[in-house]
Amino acid sequence: MKIILLQDEKKLGKKGDIIEASEGYARNYILPKKIGVEATSKNMNDLKLQKANEQKIAQENLDAAKALAAELENKQIVVKIKGGENGKAFGSVSTKEIAAACKEQHNIEIDKKKIQLPESLKNFGTYEVAIKLHPQVTGQLTVKVVEA
């Protein structure tokens, strides 16, 4: 019996996969637990429409990430931290501070978990910071660390 999986199942496959299962296993386990549905022509059409919609949404997300990356390329944010003698900084700049400064200065919201610092920003100066906006898109943001 052909079954369309409605959710990821470790031993069977991923959501949307069409699998072949024995009649008894399908009727007694897969269908009652709503892990999958029988692969009728109506369900197959629904699956095609759902996959097309998911692809469209994924493409829109990719386009939005590319647009945001292009916008970030020519932006610079300034982060102020306390400094001591000889131009040394107290502490370092965190991803949370970079995300807050980006929101405050350019009104662009970036998740702090997506900011990838090459090393901790412990000195004053200008740094290029990578931001992973999408699995296929990484943007660059210029961060200038100055003394408060």
Side-chain angles (χ1 to χ4, degrees), residues 8-144:
D8 290 353
E9 189 66 26
K10 193 173 191 177
K11 296 177 183 174
L12 298 175
K14 298 208 176 281
K15 178 181 177 180
D17 287 352
I18 300 171
I19 61 164
E20 186 69 39
S22 68
E23 185 92 19
Y25 186 61
R27 297 246 180 259
N28 294 321
Y29 181 75
I30 296 173
L31 297 176
K33 293 198 179 241
K34 306 237 188 294
I35 295 170
V37 293
E38 194 171 344
T40 62
S41 61
K42 179 196 177 298
N43 290 338
M44 295 290 278
N45 281 340
D46 289 347
L47 177 66
K48 277 184 191 173
L49 291 173
Q50 185 178 10
K51 282 189 177 183
N53 189 32
E54 288 172 359
Q55 284 180 339
K56 180 182 172 199
I57 290 172
Q59 185 62 40
E60 287 174 357
N61 289 341
L62 178 63
D63 293 342
K66 284 181 180 177
L68 183 58
E71 187 178 341
L72 289 175
E73 287 292 327
N74 53 21
K75 300 274 185 189
Q76 177 179 343
I77 62 167
V78 178
V79 179
K80 296 179 181 178
I81 59 173
K82 289 184 181 177
E85 297 175 17
N86 303 329
K88 295 256 183 178
F90 288 135
S92 64
V93 178
S94 68
T95 57
K96 182 178 179 182
E97 291 169 324
I98 293 172
C102 195
K103 173 76 172 147
E104 179 184 310
Q105 294 171 19
H106 298 293
N107 204 21
I108 298 173
E109 194 134 351
I110 297 174
D111 186 8
K112 68 179 183 176
K113 295 174 189 152
K114 295 182 178 187
I115 299 173
Q116 300 172 327
L117 293 176
E119 73 271 345
S120 58
L121 307 181
K122 293 184 177 183
N123 297 320
F124 300 117
T126 305
Y127 300 91
E128 286 292 322
V129 176
I131 301 173
K132 188 111 172 137
L133 300 169
H134 188 272
Q136 300 170 357
V137 179
T138 302
Q140 292 291 325
L141 179 65
T142 305
V143 178
K144 187 173 185 180

